Amino acid sequence: KCDWSSDVCSSDLVEKINNIVRIKKMEKRESYLQYGRKIIFEPGSVIYKSASTPSKNAIFYIVAGLVKIEVSLNDGSKFPVYLQPDNVFGIVEPLSECARLTNAFSMEKSLLYVWDIDDFYTASSISWELTYISITGLTRFLRILNAEFGEKLGLIKERTT
């Protein structure tokens, strides 16, 4: 018997629901991950470097772990953007057929899936979820960069209240 006002009961229920949600997400993921290959990166590993040619036009998806994307600024400094599971990255360069524009590092042990451009097209054509994750990820990344550069250019004023 469960006392619903109890923290223990509530946390057990929440944990069970979260486990069910994780399992359902993994089942959906499997449909598009089958076209990629699994790679594990240890903490501190370089995934790719700026100005390098994308190896086999690689596009990455984070299943587990933490990835840091570094954007180089004109003054030589680096602006970090951290990506968590269910993010796609490294997509811009293969689509625009150019060298890498950013650096990518694994910040903790990370499980990634990687596709070449053709396999990515196949995977995204069978999975609207992958297309959605890719588009929302790019949008989020651009919003972060716009805010950062807008602030540096003085286009965004600090609010003083």
Side-chain angles (χ1 to χ4, degrees):
K1 189 168 183 173
C2 185
D3 174 11
W4 291 105
S5 63
S6 163
D7 287 339
V8 174
C9 182
S10 298
S11 66
D12 287 345
L13 182 60
V14 168
E15 186 177 335
K16 286 177 184 176
I17 291 170
N18 285 338
N19 286 336
I20 291 169
V21 169
R22 266 188 237 114
I23 290 167
K24 291 295 180 188
K25 273 187 168 181
M26 276 306 294
E27 289 171 356
K28 286 182 180 179
R29 270 192 209 142
E30 289 174 5
S31 66
Y32 53 86
L33 292 182
Q34 68 182 332
Y35 295 98
R37 60 189 165 82
K38 179 170 60 170
I39 300 176
I40 296 175
F41 287 93
E42 295 299 323
S45 297
V46 175
I47 299 169
Y48 61 75
K49 295 290 267 173
S50 144
S52 63
T53 304
S55 174
K56 297 183 181 177
N57 290 320
I59 298 170
F60 299 88
Y61 173 78
I62 306 170
V63 174
L66 181 67
V67 171
K68 177 170 76 169
I69 304 295
E70 280 184 347
V71 180
S72 297
L73 305 178
N74 284 339
D75 64 4
S77 62
K78 310 274 187 204
F79 175 71
V81 177
Y82 294 91
L83 302 177
Q84 298 176 345
D86 291 327
N87 271 284
V88 173
F89 67 98
I91 191 172
V92 171
E93 300 88 352
L95 292 177
S96 58
E97 298 177 355
C98 69
R100 293 285 184 197
L101 302 171
T102 59
N103 298 312
F105 304 96
S106 177
M107 299 307 293
E108 58 188 39
K109 190 170 187 174
S110 299
L111 171 60
L112 308 179
Y113 270 76
V114 61
W115 299 274
D116 65 26
I117 194 74
D118 293 328
D119 289 337
F120 180 78
Y121 285 147
T122 301
S124 59
S125 72
I126 63 154
S127 169
W128 67 266
E129 292 98 342
L130 179 58
T131 304
Y132 177 78
I133 290 167
S134 301
I135 292 169
T136 56
L138 281 171
T139 303
R140 187 178 315 112
F141 191 72
L142 286 173
R143 289 184 70 193
I144 291 168
L145 292 179
N146 283 339
E148 177 66 17
F149 293 120
E151 196 172 279
K152 287 193 180 303
L153 294 172
L155 300 174
I156 298 174
K157 307 286 186 226
E158 286 188 37
R159 293 182 185 202
T160 53
T161 47

